[in-house]
Amino acid sequence: MLEIKNLHVKLEDEDKQILKGLDLTVEAGKVHAIMGPNGSGKSTLSYVLSGRDGYEVTEGSATLAGEDLLELDPEERAALGVFLAFQYPVEIPGVGNMTFLRTAVNSQRKARGEEELSAADFLKSIRAKAKELKIDADMLKRPVNVGFSGGEKKRNEILQMAMLEPKMCILDETDSGLDVDAMKLVAEGVNALRDEGRGFLVITHYQRLLDHIKPDVVHILADGKIVKTGGPELAMEVENNGYAGILAEVS
Amino acid sequence: MALADVKQSATEARLAALSLPEGGCLSVARQAALSRVQTLGLPGRRDEYWKYTRPDTLTAAEATQASVFVTDEAPMFDEFDRLKIVFVDGVYNPEASDDLSLEGVQIDRIADICCQDIHWAKDLYGVLEARGQSPVARPLAALNTAFAQDGVAIHVTGKPSKPINLVYVHSDEASDAILHHVIRVEAGAEATILENGPAASRFNKCMEIDIADTGKLHLVRAQGRDHERRAATHLFARLGTESVFKSFTLTVNGILTRNEAVVELLGDDAIAHIAGACVGDGEFHHDDTVFITHDAVNCESRQVFKKVLRNGATGVFQGKILVKEGAQKTDGYQISQSLLLDDDSQFLAKPELEIYADDVICSHGSTTGAIDEEALFYLRSRGVPADEATDLLTLAFLAEAVEEIEDGEIAAAIVARLEGWLSRRR
Ligand SMILES: Nc1ncnc2c1ncn2[C@@H]1O[C@H](COP(=O)(O)OP(=O)(O)OP(=O)(O)O)[C@@H](O)[C@H]1O
Ligand SMILES: [Mg+2]
């Protein structure tokens, strides 16, 4: 599904290389986790895949179901099925959460040549999904993420993911800032979307989330490269011993 | 003190092109206003109060021609049940207007004030304008009082069932209109006044509003889409105890607009909100000049102005809150913000606070910014195309001003106009 080959990325405005030859393949139906020290380039990878400005790809490729992602605008990538749950969801005063989501859902449908969702169908669907994530009606009416607590913002990301039904879900530290119950809700939300046609890339620092969202594959990202790949046991090792041992072993 | 020669001759040239309307009971007020104009002189480029806006086309003897904008779009407020009063190039048009009778309100032309012996209107005409000449001179308003060709006196005594809509049609490319309205809202009465249309190639409008204790007035205007029109408008309002005045202005296009609002809170617990949203593209200069005086206890005032500018458009805001001695518990808020959609446009702001009471809360802020790139990316990453995302953020920026309109349907109609403007500029 997602295929990244030898990806090199530097900052556009600075002479700073962040990703230094990253290879990664996420198959449809699988959950891949990425762990790695602060500043190793995890969020950068997620931004480059979703099309944020400010980065320059100097080498390598990234494709989704064979389509070259790097040539596309962010909205085109979204319509193809890329979704990023932000590490820091953005507050947008003046734009209602509901309006935002309906515009997003219908923009994607339009881009794919599908019929737009009627107001009634949209409402029915969002209410049901919000309920599962314990997001109350009031939060749906409020401006996007404005005044939301850290945990509410993360749940709102998952609600968006559930509504947009993307093919490739990238979750950047969705667990940070969540209490134990909220973590379960979010994990349930993600698990409900697990599907043969959908891939997941879950960026996290903690084993905890992976107890709930069982990964098929775990990668360690350090200094802009995947330095080790293994099964769920790799996450346990990080949890117990930190990165020092793994990094020493690969260098 | 004698006026500077340049000013003197410019003022004389303008006055020479006008003649005082005949007699009647307003002649004393008109004559007094003429003396004010002669003493003050019309605004000139050197005047501090006109530092950001060139007054020459507004004060010139002749109006500059402006083509009449033709569109098949329905006029603003057409879908509302309202009492329509139409002025064509500044002259009342009875055929196009509705019957003026409506329960809870008495409406007359200012020309008829004298024969009908309408005391309140005689006693108001030119009075608030004259009060408003200090501490800052507003000679164009005095000129208006002296030479207004037409206008209405609206006496709100109850709660009329529908809004009164003043419609200003522009049909003559050389039109130069001067309109003066007086409005009195009695105790416990409440009304909504809607205004729309460009009115003329050059439009000088003055509205004097006197709100008695516990009276309420809502004013919503849309200044019309004619690109070449010029307008100088003045709003003078005096508020009694526990009265409420809410004003919102939408400006879309227009080569030059100067909207002045002068509000005095004279009774305790009164509330005044003055808001405006303007969107301008290219040759567009829009000036909001507001002066709010708190002269009573526990009053609230809000000034909320938002401007979206592109392709070299200019926005100006001069806003003042004056809190007089003894006006304790004043709650004054003022915000003026511009969203610049490119590097060619500019916003000039002069927010001022002058406070002579110690127990008050006053805040003011002014910002100039571009579209928030983080928010734009967030929207696009969810599949919203860049243009649409920019529109959403632009409307969001304007929302705080539009939210000052209490009536949800009217607010929705205003938003629809803004959406129209945005979509035409893709
Ligand atoms: N726009 C930017 N400007 C300057 N430096 C940047 C920018 N974006 C990323 N960096 C730098 O690139 C490196 C990788 O950052 P990134 O956010 O991708 O790390 P991360 O692995 O997500 O870290 P964390 O675990 O703390 O979230 C860091 O050193 C960061 O400071
Ligand atoms: Mg990160």
Side-chain angles (χ1 to χ4, degrees):
Chain A
M1 164 133 294
L2 177 69
E3 218 167 314
I4 303 168
K5 284 188 189 147
N6 194 30
L7 192 63
H8 286 71
V9 173
K10 68 178 273 291
L11 290 177
E12 215 167 51
D13 300 335
E14 275 174 60
D15 213 13
K16 181 172 176 176
Q17 198 74 31
I18 302 175
L19 299 183
K20 304 170 179 172
L22 186 140
D23 291 288
L24 179 68
T25 302
V26 180
E27 309 81 6
K30 298 283 194 247
V31 175
H32 285 232
I34 293 190
M35 303 179 85
N38 293 130
S40 54
K42 303 181 297 298
S43 293
T44 301
L45 173 64
S46 72
Y47 286 143
V48 169
L49 292 175
S50 49
R52 183 180 161 129
D53 281 343
Y55 304 99
E56 190 185 324
V57 176
T58 51
E59 223 185 309
S61 65
T63 57
L64 184 73
E67 299 253 13
D68 179 4
L69 285 181
L70 302 177
E71 286 302 307
L72 302 177
D73 283 336
E75 55 268 36
E76 293 170 324
R77 300 182 197 202
L80 265 187
V82 175
F83 180 91
L84 167 63
F86 283 57
Q87 181 172 3
Y88 305 107
V90 181
E91 298 189 4
I92 313 183
V95 177
N97 217 4
M98 202 81 120
T99 311
F100 159 59
L101 256 174
R102 193 145 65 92
T103 310
V105 168
N106 283 331
S107 299
Q108 291 201 14
R109 285 176 165 246
K110 223 157 86 186
R112 292 194 293 258
E114 299 165 10
E115 208 171 309
E116 293 189 12
L117 209 57
S118 76
D121 287 345
F122 172 81
L123 213 63
K124 217 170 112 187
S125 167
I126 195 167
R127 281 200 182 129
K129 286 173 173 149
K131 200 170 158 202
E132 282 167 19
L133 286 160
K134 297 220 163 81
I135 290 174
D136 59 32
D138 176 56
M139 256 170 75
L140 291 178
K141 283 191 205 129
R142 271 157 46 190
V144 180
N145 293 325
V146 177
F148 287 26
S149 73
E152 286 169 343
K153 283 181 184 166
K154 296 301 178 81
R155 273 186 279 151
N156 199 28
E157 294 290 290
I158 302 304
L159 173 66
Q160 292 169 36
M161 189 166 87
M163 289 301 296
L164 293 166
E165 301 181 330
K167 288 208 189 94
M168 183 65 225
C169 307
I170 306 165
L171 283 74
D172 191 359
E173 292 195 31
T174 300
D175 51 338
S176 67
L178 292 181
D179 65 34
V180 181
D181 295 330
M183 171 115 63
K184 271 194 191 142
L185 278 177
V186 163
E188 279 164 20
V190 172
N191 288 330
L193 282 170
R194 286 182 79 155
D195 180 278
E196 278 169 23
R198 186 170 285 135
F200 287 86
L201 192 58
V202 179
I203 298 170
T204 183
H205 284 295
Y206 305 106
Q207 159 64 25
R208 263 185 324 181
L209 180 69
L210 304 178
D211 282 341
H212 300 290
I213 306 173
K214 296 266 180 335
D216 299 295
V217 185
V218 176
H219 306 275
I220 306 298
L221 174 61
D223 195 24
K225 275 191 263 190
I226 301 289
V227 296
K228 191 166 183 181
T229 297
E233 74 287 347
L234 194 51
M236 287 307 294
E237 192 185 330
V238 170
E239 182 84 7
N240 295 331
N241 308 322
Y243 293 109
I246 297 170
L247 296 184
E249 170 195 327
V250 297
S251 67
Chain B
M1 196 185 74
L3 296 175
D5 286 352
V6 189
K7 200 169 220 188
Q8 177 93 37
S9 53
T11 303
E12 278 168 11
R14 175 65 179 130
L15 292 177
L18 291 161
S19 55
L20 275 187
E22 276 299 301
C25 60
L26 296 181
S27 61
V28 176
R30 288 184 187 274
Q31 201 67 57
L34 176 58
S35 310
R36 283 196 288 281
V37 180
Q38 284 162 335
T39 312
L40 299 168
L42 288 175
R45 290 189 68 177
R46 299 256 182 84
D47 292 358
E48 182 65 22
Y49 217 44
W50 289 84
K51 194 170 163 185
Y52 303 123
T53 299
R54 288 187 62 158
D56 42 359
T57 52
L58 297 171
T59 59
E62 298 294 329
T64 313
Q65 294 226 344
S67 54
V68 175
F69 186 74
V70 185
T71 171
D72 45 16
E73 188 181 49
M76 189 85 211
F77 305 131
D78 249 24
E79 71 270 32
F80 289 95
D81 181 22
R82 72 233 151 109
L83 188 151
K84 191 165 81 168
I85 306 174
V86 181
F87 297 85
V88 178
D89 295 319
V91 180
Y92 173 62
N93 184 314
E95 288 77 41
S97 303
D98 291 333
D99 185 292
L100 297 185
S101 53
L102 177 67
E103 195 170 322
V105 63
Q106 171 73 30
I107 304 168
D108 294 277
R109 285 177 83 176
I110 53 167
D112 299 333
I113 291 174
C114 303
C115 34
Q116 308 264 341
D117 217 9
I118 300 169
H119 291 286
W120 71 266
K122 275 189 291 193
D123 295 345
L124 186 57
Y125 190 93
V127 170
L128 298 188
E129 174 263 297
R131 283 176 71 94
Q133 296 296 346
S134 141
V136 192
R138 304 170 202 281
L140 283 171
L143 183 88
N144 180 302
T145 300
F147 296 99
Q149 307 143 332
D150 216 328
V152 282
I154 302 176
H155 193 197
V156 185
T157 51
K159 295 187 174 173
S161 58
K162 53 186 175 189
I164 296 148
N165 187 187
L166 305 172
V167 179
Y168 306 124
V169 178
H170 176 205
S171 81
D172 177 355
E173 294 197 347
S175 54
D176 188 13
I178 306 181
L179 283 182
H180 194 118
H181 308 302
V182 284
I183 297 161
R184 162 117 183 135
V185 182
E186 294 299 343
E190 178 171 3
T192 296
I193 294 179
L194 307 173
E195 293 181 280
N196 65 290
S201 296
R202 181 168 70 178
F203 188 32
N204 180 334
K205 193 199 69 180
C206 183
M207 192 178 248
E208 294 179 283
I209 300 169
D210 192 16
I211 309 180
D213 299 352
T214 72
K216 283 188 187 166
L217 185 71
H218 306 269
L219 176 66
V220 179
R221 63 176 163 173
Q223 293 185 293
R225 272 176 57 191
D226 292 29
H227 289 276
E228 295 166 9
R229 64 120 187 101
R230 292 176 164 81
T233 76
H234 288 84
L235 196 86
F236 296 95
R238 175 166 70 183
L239 277 74
T241 304
E242 286 175 39
S243 66
V244 176
F245 176 49
K246 293 193 178 177
S247 158
F248 172 87
T249 303
L250 170 73
T251 311
V252 176
N253 304 343
I255 199 167
L256 176 62
T257 309
R258 163 94 161 196
N259 290 330
E260 294 194 28
V262 183
V263 178
E264 286 183 283
L265 296 140
L266 296 183
D268 296 347
D269 307 305
I271 295 173
H273 292 188
I274 311 294
C278 86
V279 289
D281 190 345
E283 229 187 318
F284 172 91
H285 183 108
H286 189 278
D287 177 336
D288 280 299
T289 290
V290 181
F291 198 116
I292 295 188
T293 305
H294 282 259
D295 198 5
V297 174
N298 201 33
C299 291
E300 173 190 306
S301 73
R302 281 172 71 83
Q303 300 173 45
V304 182
F305 290 89
K306 302 267 183 162
K307 298 177 199 282
V308 175
L309 306 165
R310 62 191 286 171
N311 285 328
T314 301
V316 174
F317 174 76
Q318 305 188 97
K320 179 157 182 170
I321 306 175
L322 169 63
V323 181
K324 289 203 171 174
E325 210 177 318
Q328 302 296 9
K329 308 278 179 206
T330 286
D331 181 357
Y333 174 76
Q334 179 195 87
I335 183 93
S336 64
Q337 295 182 305
S338 72
L339 176 63
L340 306 183
L341 295 179
D342 53 43
D343 295 335
D344 303 329
S345 305
Q346 60 169 346
F347 178 55
L348 306 160
K350 190 178 169 199
E352 281 183 287
L353 288 179
E354 196 177 327
I355 302 176
Y356 298 101
D358 50 17
D359 184 14
V360 303
I361 306 169
C362 278
S363 65
H364 66 152
S366 182
T367 64
T368 295
I371 287 280
D372 178 352
E373 290 295 331
E374 290 281 320
L376 187 63
F377 173 63
Y378 191 70
L379 291 170
R380 294 179 71 188
S381 79
R382 297 310 185 233
V384 184
D387 280 349
E388 251 177 87
T390 304
D391 287 2
L392 266 178
L393 294 173
T394 305
L395 288 171
F397 165 79
L398 293 165
E400 188 188 358
V402 178
E403 279 161 13
E404 290 294 323
I405 303 170
E406 263 184 34
D407 185 303
E409 283 175 36
I410 296 175
I414 296 286
V415 169
R417 292 291 151 147
L418 288 166
E419 284 172 343
W421 185 85
L422 290 167
S423 68
R424 288 192 299 275
R425 266 152 193 82
R426 286 274 178 76

